[in-house]
Amino acid sequence: MSEILVKIDGLEKTFESGGESLSILKGLDLSVAKGEKCVIVGKSGSGKSTLLNIIGGLADATAGRVLLSGSDVSSMNEARRTAFRQKFLGLVFQFHYLLKDFTALENVFLPAYMAGIPKKEAMERASSLLNDVGLSDRAGHFPSQLSGGERQRVAVARSLVNEP
């Protein structure tokens, strides 16, 4: 039997605005095992991003719970969620959110260094990941000097630098 990495039970998300309620997620149950691939599809506004933000601990559910590798993300305070994301998750957003005043290498290096990885090792990891995504020759370039696809590849490398 495979280890369950993502377990969602009875997840609900309701947005309140101007005295009106809009239920986006209603009683969602989901299990994703180690090695299994899961694709989330739906129409615009159906709750895909909301679901991923809740799974990643970036947003709170109205009801239900989210377990990642057995850890209850839904019961963690913000500081614990931040530490959990830093150590166990690699998130890549639709927009890259690269730091404009830092090179590609620095953008990938920084999360590892901030997580306490020694500077030399963090730099080696960042360089290796940029090589893996085909950007070793662009490591010294700033986001404004990279194409949209290159920026996304830097974001992918950044999401993997802490070996989530």
Side-chain angles (χ1 to χ4, degrees), residues 11 13 15 24-25 47-55 59-60:
L11 194 67
K13 180 62 176 181
F15 292 97
I24 300 296
L25 303 172
K48 301 178 300 291
S49 295
T50 299
L51 173 60
L52 293 174
N53 284 331
I54 292 170
I55 291 171
D60 292 318

Side-chain angles (χ1 to χ4, degrees), residues 21-152:
S21 295
L22 176 62
S23 292
I24 300 296
L25 303 172
K26 302 173 194 168
L28 177 72
D29 296 321
L30 174 70
S31 289
V32 181
K34 183 176 184 175
E36 186 177 18
K37 291 175 178 60
C38 176
V39 178
I40 300 168
V41 296
K43 294 180 181 177
S44 180
S46 64
K48 301 178 300 291
S49 295
T50 299
L51 173 60
L52 293 174
N53 284 331
I54 292 170
I55 291 171
L58 298 170
D60 292 318
T62 305
R65 69 183 198 154
V66 175
L67 299 171
L68 297 179
S69 292
S71 296
D72 189 348
V73 176
S74 45
S75 69
M76 294 177 185
N77 64 30
E78 189 57 38
R80 181 110 163 46
R81 281 185 198 181
T82 298
F84 186 84
R85 270 192 310 272
Q86 186 179 48
K87 185 168 183 168
F88 294 105
L89 295 178
L91 302 172
V92 179
F93 298 93
Q94 189 169 352
F95 182 76
H96 55 74
Y97 295 107
L98 298 177
L99 301 171
K100 67 181 180 104
D101 295 328
F102 291 83
T103 65
L105 180 63
E106 292 165 338
N107 266 282
V108 177
F109 156 84
L110 198 56
Y113 187 64
M114 290 177 64
I117 305 299
K119 186 175 183 176
K120 183 178 183 211
E121 181 182 343
M123 194 60 76
E124 287 170 357
R125 283 187 190 184
S127 286
S128 176
L129 284 164
L130 284 177
N131 185 57
D132 290 348
V133 297
L135 291 175
S136 56
D137 63 327
R138 308 285 280 161
H141 289 75
F142 294 93
S144 64
Q145 299 169 316
L146 301 172
S147 72
E150 289 172 330
R151 291 177 196 157
Q152 278 301 99

